[in-house]
Amino acid sequence: MSADVRSFFGRPIIIGGGIAGLLTALHLAPEPVLLLSRTPLGADASSAWAQGGLAVSLGVDDDPALHLADTLAAGDGLCDAEIATRILHAAADAIETLATLGVRFDRTSEGALLLGLEAAHGRRRIVHAGGDGSGQEIMRALVEAVRSAPSITVVEGVEARRLAVEDNTVRGVWASCSMSPVFFGTGRVVLATGGIGGLFLDSTNPSGSCGQGLALAARAGAVLADLEFIQFHPTALDGPDRPMPLISEAVRGEGATIVDETGRRFLEGVPGAELAPRDVVARAISKHLSKGHRAFLDVREKPGSAFARQFPTIASACRVAGIDPAYDLIPIRPAQHYHMGGVAVDPDGRSSVAGLWACGEVASTGLHGANRLASNSLTEAVVCARWVAESVAGSPIGVRTRSKAREIPAPNPLSLRPLLSRALGVKRHGEFLRDAVSAMLPLAELHHAASDPAAVGLMIAVAALLREESRGAHYRTDFPDLAVFARRSRLTLDGALATAREFACSSTLEELEQ
Ligand code: SIN
């Protein structure tokens, strides 16, 4: 292995084998790159589970300005309008790129792209594949392209554990290997590690997604942004399976309704009803459940008999759960689904650490604001992968460095899930957030399997504690109103640890005074 490792010296390293990572690697061709994936390609990437598709304003009644308006409205005052404009204008080209790479999108008999509707979109603008199998089809095509690209070396079963950084500049990656840690010397690293669902009890993400990219960036000293904004999907299939099977918003786009055990459409009075922004629907369902009700999706009338054909993945998940959607209501509850926060990046995906880029869910470009508009994330990943690749290609390769071997334990978030789920759920309160911060603080500073997930959980909880307002997906029962000024949040690990110590100190003083 070590001879091989030396021969990779200086190559850009892409960490993560989902859509963002694969496309970045493809766009970098013919430059030789190394792609590190924890699992066999496509096996554990949340990209492959994406049902909805890519949002793009291709309809005759649509244009990027309308798409932008819906994105900004859903983002609740926190989107970066400039970057959002740039990304949404590039969306049509991104679809073309995927089609050229062999993605078989769903089309009309005349060959035009079929456009679906999802919540908070004013137009039909979701391009999809295989009905509800968009992620799987895109991954199929990209994995095939990557496997046959001579410039890309894929290293599977290896996990990046630390970035080597000197003078705020990337010098390499420490990764796990079956025998001993391996060091890859490089001055250019792209994080494309996905989200944080593995930190939660109820999530629609693969359980291996526990914020590894955020931990790598944070421990390298990078600035992270908007960490407190976590999206809960309103309609996860409420059964025993974890991760929870997703029931796409596109099902509601085709007319399905949400009812309770009495058959009442309890969202009827909410503006937009079932197609209100995702945070609004998730909160309404969560509130109804907390009053002792149950919540169901009713697809019997609409999409009706078309359901199984239009949504084969969901129909199969229902079958496995013993539900026949033609006759039965589908039990649902909100579950963690997407992280709007991430590594703070500029439009080219550059982080605050020289030589470190981020792309896809792990990055925070500013497109999503406080609440992501449905299907904007795949669009963002595909569009930004090109810009990241161009930026990486135009950057110096960095200098050789020596670094001592470091054994870092594999991250294990299992013990943290109950606490983080309670503190960082659909509804939050300062008391639970402070509990989470106090519990994460000692763990985050140890050298333990829970330490990296604890560092990420701590940073999110500190960001949530500091945001004393309710905005988008961040709802504080102790601060239910919107603040007058919208501001994005930024945090480093050192800053979060210092704030956590202050909280811990002031709680101890309060206890002593009582
Ligand atoms: C969905 O299909 O409802 C999920 C799409 C997304 O998360 O953007």
Side-chain angles (χ1 to χ4, degrees):
M1 182 81 181
S2 57
D4 291 344
V5 168
R6 274 194 300 274
S7 71
F8 296 136
F9 175 77
R11 289 189 189 183
I13 294 184
I14 295 163
I15 304 174
I19 289 173
L22 299 179
L23 257 182
T24 304
L26 286 165
H27 283 313
L28 271 162
E31 175 159 7
V33 300
L34 200 60
L35 192 144
L36 304 186
S37 176
R38 209 166 33 83
T39 56
L41 282 192
D44 203 32
S46 49
S47 295
W49 294 13
Q51 294 180 354
L54 295 95
V56 54
S57 51
L58 289 177
V60 285
D61 59 348
D62 205 1
D63 65 48
L66 292 172
H67 188 178
L68 176 67
D70 289 343
T71 299
L72 300 184
D76 209 1
L78 224 65
C79 299
D80 179 327
E82 204 178 311
I83 184 72
T85 305
R86 210 178 141 196
I87 291 174
L88 301 181
H89 274 84
D93 280 351
I95 303 292
E96 198 50 49
T97 302
L98 290 179
T100 307
L101 284 165
V103 176
R104 297 186 284 253
F105 288 115
D106 295 337
R107 294 178 185 270
T108 64
S109 49
E110 286 81 39
L113 289 162
L114 277 171
L115 299 176
L117 180 66
E118 288 183 4
H121 284 275
R123 299 284 187 277
R124 285 192 165 265
R125 60 167 75 100
I126 315 302
V127 173
H128 44 89
D132 56 6
S134 305
Q136 211 170 10
E137 167 58 11
I138 298 171
M139 284 295 287
R140 178 203 62 74
L142 296 189
V143 169
E144 220 170 280
V146 162
R147 295 254 187 242
S148 53
S151 60
I152 304 173
T153 304
V154 180
V155 186
E156 289 159 303
V158 166
E159 182 172 55
R161 297 269 168 84
R162 282 289 179 274
L163 300 177
V165 172
E166 285 169 9
D167 302 327
N168 196 42
T169 303
V170 168
R171 303 292 186 205
V173 177
W174 279 109
S176 68
C177 189
S178 52
M179 305 300 286
S180 56
V182 178
F183 183 71
F184 296 96
T186 181
R188 295 174 294 169
V189 171
V190 179
L191 299 174
T193 48
I196 57 166
L199 299 179
F200 290 79
L201 292 168
D202 294 346
S203 172
T204 61
N205 298 173
S207 47
S209 298
C210 57
Q212 294 92 328
L214 296 182
L216 288 171
R219 296 216 186 266
V223 175
L224 310 192
D226 297 343
L227 290 174
E228 62 275 35
F229 296 105
I230 297 172
Q231 186 163 72
F232 289 80
H233 198 291
T235 57
L237 179 61
D238 187 10
D241 286 348
R242 294 294 177 277
M244 295 172 83
L246 177 69
I247 304 178
S248 174
E249 223 160 48
V251 177
R252 279 172 279 141
E254 295 304 321
T257 54
I258 292 174
V259 296
D260 65 14
E261 70 288 354
T262 68
R264 185 164 85 85
R265 244 182 105 186
F266 58 92
L267 273 145
E268 222 164 15
V270 174
E274 280 86 353
L275 292 180
R278 205 169 268 185
D279 58 328
V280 174
V281 179
R283 263 196 304 280
I285 295 176
S286 172
K287 187 170 166 196
H288 212 57
L289 293 175
S290 69
K291 289 181 184 163
H293 292 286
R294 295 199 64 198
F296 301 90
L297 204 58
D298 188 351
V299 305
R300 294 173 300 181
E301 202 164 308
K302 282 184 183 170
S305 57
F307 176 75
R309 180 173 40 79
Q310 275 182 300
F311 303 105
T313 311
I314 302 168
S316 143
C318 288
R319 260 195 310 280
V320 170
I323 297 158
D324 181 349
Y327 301 98
D328 306 327
L329 296 173
I330 307 171
I332 51 163
R333 68 166 51 245
Q336 190 284 340
H337 181 61
Y338 187 83
H339 195 195
M340 275 73 76
V343 182
V345 292
D346 72 7
D348 294 330
R350 286 176 188 275
S351 75
S352 62
V353 173
L356 181 64
W357 289 258
C359 189
E361 187 171 351
V362 69
S364 177
T365 62
L367 169 67
H368 307 305
N371 176 50
R372 176 182 63 104
L373 186 64
S375 288
N376 262 359
S377 44
L378 286 190
T379 302
E380 179 193 49
V382 176
V383 167
C384 293
R386 180 183 292 281
W387 298 340
V388 168
E390 286 167 0
S391 174
V392 170
S395 300
I397 61 170
V399 294
R400 181 184 282 274
T401 189
R402 284 179 189 279
S403 192
K404 272 200 271 153
R406 297 186 62 191
E407 188 88 59
I408 312 287
N412 184 346
L414 214 62
S415 61
L416 312 179
R417 284 181 187 154
L419 194 65
L420 291 175
S421 302
R422 189 174 68 147
L424 294 167
V426 174
K427 285 195 282 181
R428 298 157 177 192
H429 189 282
E431 192 188 325
F432 295 137
L433 289 168
R434 271 188 288 273
D435 286 350
V437 169
S438 310
M440 299 294 140
L441 180 58
L443 270 177
E445 296 184 295
L446 289 177
H447 191 73
H448 183 272
S451 296
D452 278 359
V456 173
L458 173 106
M459 291 185 79
I460 301 174
V462 166
L465 202 45
L466 292 175
R467 187 171 287 279
E468 295 187 331
E469 64 163 341
S470 290
R471 181 184 294 278
H474 172 72
Y475 184 76
R476 290 271 304 254
T477 51
D478 49 346
F479 291 95
D481 301 322
L482 206 61
V484 178
F485 298 109
R487 50 157 193 93
R488 296 187 62 198
S489 68
R490 283 169 186 270
L491 203 58
T492 60
L493 180 56
D494 282 350
L497 289 169
T499 308
R501 282 184 210 111
E502 273 171 37
F503 281 130
C505 203
S506 57
S507 325
T508 312
L509 282 176
E510 267 171 37
E511 275 166 28
L512 286 173
E513 279 166 12
Q514 276 169 11

